[in-house]
Amino acid sequence: MPRTPDLTLPDLTGRRAVVTGGSDGVGLGIADRLAAAGAEVVLPVRNAAKGAAAADRIRDRHPGAAVSLRELDLSSLSSVAALGETLRAEGRPVHLLINNAGVMTPPERRTTADGFELQFGTNHLGHVALVAHLLPLLREGHARVVCQISVAAARGTVLWDDPDSERSYDGMAAYRHSKIAFGLFGLELDRRSRAAGWGVTANLSHPGVAPTNLLNARPDLGRERRSAGRRVIGALSRAGLLVGTADSAGLPALLAATAPDAGHAVFYGPKGPGRVGGPPAEQELYRPLRDADAARRVWDLSQQRAGVSFDGAATP
């Protein structure tokens, strides 16, 4: 196995790609590779300065790259709706939507602008709303939608009785809940698209384990210093042992988004030992993702909580 796995992307000239969480880490690596392949890359960002630095880095690496910023805070449904309105007004089809952004394990329960537990509201509901608001553009582009989940989704469950962790908060349980729910949503999105003829393909991906900002110091989330786990992951990555790098961790999402022969509702991740690093490949769905009834239930719950309707957004 090569120490640094890689992937050859097809020519994406003329394709418009929207990548959430593209201002640093795995998302920036994904955006960079899409731009290098010729895609027009739209980076919806919460921090304008970080977004500008990311766009400048991409342009420096790939002169002539088409990359632009839009404003988005996934923890605010009004912000998501505003982005949807902006992109619909631009009238350009979206060919690739990579739902990559996320937050992980705040030490204490925090909520979004709309009162949802932060991880459930950001990782799951914010992206659900984004897909709904962009669905007419996704249909026009016969888009590939990628739902980035996590190795954490291999265990745990959807917290049906306490989705916002109001009665009891466990950071990792809430994180797994958000990622399992988002994976089930992605699978149901693909099923409904095929049934209704929307022309949208939805696949899942996970990045494995890599030294990203998810577990770095985040005073805004109540994490004052880099976690011990993040320090260990960084050391293993630098030594080329077991886990991936920030760049290799984006390859499964890129494969899910661009593989010419990708099917429907396919799950991609690293294929190395423990599925935490290595080259990207198709993988078996995690056990919590195999329940079709749960996927339909998540679909209904998500629309109700996010205040969106796919029926109303489905007209191209």
Side-chain angles (χ1 to χ4, degrees), residues 56-106:
D56 287 344
R57 173 183 149 169
I58 293 172
R59 295 189 193 103
D60 288 345
R61 287 169 54 89
H62 312 291
V67 56
S68 59
L69 304 179
R70 303 292 186 280
E71 184 178 349
L72 173 66
D73 180 353
L74 280 165
S75 69
S76 165
L77 291 176
S78 64
S79 176
V80 178
L83 174 64
E85 183 176 2
T86 295
L87 292 179
R88 292 195 309 273
E90 292 173 10
R92 303 273 308 283
V94 173
H95 304 92
L96 304 172
L97 172 60
I98 301 183
N99 297 299
N100 164 77
V103 294
M104 184 176 182
T105 58

Side-chain angles (χ1 to χ4, degrees), residues 1 7 18 23 34 45 64 70 75-76 103 107 109 115 133 166 199 210-211 223 232 265 269 274 280 305 314:
M1 180 187 300
L7 179 69
V18 177
S23 61
L34 293 173
V45 297
R70 303 292 186 280
S75 69
S76 165
V103 294
R109 182 180 180 273
H133 289 300
E166 294 174 294
R223 187 185 301 122
V232 171
R305 301 302 295 277

Side-chain angles (χ1 to χ4, degrees), residues 50-222:
K50 283 181 64 177
D56 287 344
R57 173 183 149 169
I58 293 172
R59 295 189 193 103
D60 288 345
R61 287 169 54 89
H62 312 291
V67 56
S68 59
L69 304 179
R70 303 292 186 280
E71 184 178 349
L72 173 66
D73 180 353
L74 280 165
S75 69
S76 165
L77 291 176
S78 64
S79 176
V80 178
L83 174 64
E85 183 176 2
T86 295
L87 292 179
R88 292 195 309 273
E90 292 173 10
R92 303 273 308 283
V94 173
H95 304 92
L96 304 172
L97 172 60
I98 301 183
N99 297 299
N100 164 77
V103 294
M104 184 176 182
T105 58
E108 296 181 352
R109 182 180 180 273
R110 291 174 178 255
T111 58
T112 69
D114 305 285
F116 304 115
E117 189 277 319
L118 185 63
Q119 296 174 97
F120 183 60
T122 303
N123 301 348
H124 176 58
L125 292 179
H127 279 124
V128 168
L130 181 61
V131 174
H133 289 300
L134 295 186
L135 189 55
L137 304 180
L138 297 171
R139 291 194 62 186
E140 288 182 44
H142 300 282
R144 193 85 64 86
V145 174
V146 180
C147 297
Q148 182 89 289
I149 60 169
S150 167
V151 293
R155 293 183 290 167
T157 186
V158 175
L159 302 176
W160 300 111
D161 296 329
D162 191 18
D164 289 302
S165 302
E166 294 174 294
R167 294 198 295 270
S168 175
Y169 177 72
D170 178 300
M172 180 53 74
Y175 180 68
R176 288 181 171 133
H177 156 65
S178 73
K179 290 297 188 176
I180 293 169
F182 194 43
L184 290 168
F185 165 80
L187 297 172
E188 186 66 9
L189 172 64
D190 190 85
R191 188 189 74 80
R192 294 199 179 228
S193 173
R194 283 181 283 138
W198 292 347
V200 174
T201 300
N203 288 326
L204 311 184
S205 65
H206 80 85
V209 175
T212 68
N213 289 332
L214 274 179
L215 292 175
N216 274 347
R218 288 285 304 273
D220 58 317
L221 298 182

